[in-house]
């Protein structure tokens, strides 16, 4: 099961190797590319299972997607009625409200869990 995420991960891994003198993605044989994508897909599944990467698909209709862009800005999905495909989602940029601040440690002590998804500027 090749996914866009697995292909992107396999190509990125090969680029890291290429920086150290390995072959570029295009220089790999189709069999080597297929093996690399298969391995990347397995690593992605493991990352999702470990909770360090989000699932590619919406877990339930009540879940909203959250994105971080290349500059570190965070966006939340604004689900519409009727629902639209994720690729056509309406999104809102999330901004920091300096008047409302909570202690992460206190929230975790009360059972909250957090997942780092990116960095903002």
């Amino acid at each position: 099961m090749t996914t866009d995420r697995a292909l992107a991960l396999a190509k990125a891994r090969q680029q890291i190797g290429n920086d150290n003198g390995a072959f570029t993605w295009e220089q790999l044989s189709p069999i080597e590319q297929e093996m690399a994508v298969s391995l990347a897909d397995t690593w992605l599944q493991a990352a999702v299972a470990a909770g360090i990467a989000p699932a590619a698909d919406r877990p339930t209709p009540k879940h909203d997607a959250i994105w971080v862009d290349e500059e570190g800005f965070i966006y939340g999905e604004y689900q519409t009625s009727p629902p639209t495909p994720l690729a056509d989602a309406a999104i809102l940029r999330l901004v920091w409200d300096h008047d409302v601040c909570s202690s992460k440690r206190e929230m975790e002590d009360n059972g909250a869990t957090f997942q780092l998804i990116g960095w903002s500027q």
Side-chain angles (χ1 to χ4, degrees), residues 47 68-69:
V68 60
D69 70 12

Side-chain angles (χ1 to χ4, degrees), residues 10-87:
K11 285 183 175 182
R13 170 58 187 96
Q14 190 61 36
Q15 179 60 45
I16 291 168
N18 184 43
D19 291 345
N20 294 318
F23 293 107
T24 66
W25 180 258
E26 293 76 20
Q27 292 172 316
L28 296 177
S29 72
I31 292 173
E32 290 170 320
Q33 289 182 2
E34 184 178 320
M35 288 173 45
V37 170
S38 177
L39 184 60
D41 187 56
T42 301
W43 277 108
L44 279 171
Q45 290 176 38
V48 170
I52 60 172
D57 298 318
R58 185 186 312 276
T60 72
K62 293 184 178 185
H63 281 81
D64 293 322
I66 300 170
W67 289 276
V68 60
D69 70 12
E70 71 284 350
E71 295 182 50
F73 294 111
I74 300 171
Y75 296 82
E77 176 183 22
Y78 182 80
Q79 289 198 47
T80 59
S81 183
T84 57
L86 198 54

Side-chain angles (χ1 to χ4, degrees), residues 88-99:
D88 298 325
I91 61 174
L92 297 170
R93 182 168 165 201
L94 305 179
V95 295
W96 307 123
D97 185 344
H98 298 288
D99 295 333

